[in-house]
Amino acid sequence: MDREFWLEKWQRNETGFHLDEVNSSLVAAWPQLGVTAGRVLVPLCGKSVDVLWLLQQGFDVVGIELSALALTALKADIQQLLGGEFERQERDGLIIDCHPRVVLIEGDLFAVTPDHVGPIAAVYDRAAMVALPAAMRERYRTQVVRLAAAAPQLLITLDYDQTVAGGPPFAVSDAEVRASLEAVYRIRCQDERELIEQEPRFRAKGLTSFIQRTYVLASLT
């Protein structure tokens, strides 16, 4: 899985992963993080309307995304909601657009440093971990913990039989989440729901189960 794959997805408008409504699991589970203010890191944010919801709740947002097309759309939505202008700077091979309440970073997630994002109060991951194949996910998890200094995290995963259908989105099991993050977080599965009836694309591939899990991750320190 490389950057060109995702850039072509956006260029071809093959963005079935994008939702036009706020994710219901975000709305239901976010209060469980116990975070009331500060910056929320949204890795691989796309043009998600979830960013707008977080802003409406009073949080500031740092989004990281490869696609300039996605960020252009997201910036327009943010400006419609908040007004104001973005100021652009280029640092360390990244394009960084800054608004009084938002920082949007265009570029490789793995090239971003804590200095680029500033202090982070929480992390929201709906579509980042599941966008990556198994070989990349451990590096991704390590990078997010580094960027956010193990801040509380709301993590949403998908789980299904990858011998029947492949990703993305990729299957991430409960066992993988716990084994890879238990050294850093107290892990609570807040919600588990069967979505196969809402996923005709995956039913057509032969799947009989497509599970979404929502985790609340609290730092051990």
Side-chain angles (χ1 to χ4, degrees), residues 3 9 18 25 29 32 34-36 51 53 65 67 72 78 84 107 129 132 172 176 181 187 198 203-204:
R3 59 179 289 128
K9 283 282 188 184
H18 173 73
S25 294
Q32 302 303 314
V35 177
T36 58
V51 168
W53 185 86
E65 170 59 43
S67 170
T72 296
I78 290 169
M129 189 181 294
L132 302 173
V172 179
E176 177 181 335
L181 292 171
I187 300 169
Q198 303 169 37
R203 288 205 313 273

Side-chain angles (χ1 to χ4, degrees), residues 19-73:
L19 301 178
D20 291 325
E21 68 278 352
V22 177
N23 189 284
S24 60
S25 294
L26 166 62
V27 176
W30 186 258
Q32 302 303 314
L33 286 187
V35 177
T36 58
R39 281 182 163 188
V40 179
L41 176 65
V42 185
L44 307 190
C45 62
K47 58 179 181 179
S48 174
V49 296
D50 293 349
V51 168
L52 306 182
W53 185 86
L54 289 166
L55 291 168
Q56 290 170 326
Q57 308 315 301
F59 295 94
D60 296 342
V61 172
V62 179
I64 305 173
E65 170 59 43
L66 272 175
S67 170
L69 290 175
L71 290 179
T72 296

Side-chain angles (χ1 to χ4, degrees), residues 1-10 14 131 167-168 170:
M1 190 66 56
D2 58 26
R3 59 179 289 128
E4 295 306 318
F5 174 90
W6 288 110
L7 293 175
E8 288 178 10
K9 283 282 188 184
W10 284 104
E14 296 174 354
F170 294 98

Side-chain angles (χ1 to χ4, degrees), residues 3 64-66 89-96 105-113 116:
R3 59 179 289 128
I64 305 173
E65 170 59 43
L66 272 175
Q89 55 182 273
E90 296 189 23
R91 293 172 53 196
D92 308 317
L94 302 167
I95 298 173
I96 304 175
I105 302 174
E106 178 190 333
D108 183 353
L109 172 73
F110 299 110
V112 178
T113 70
H116 294 129

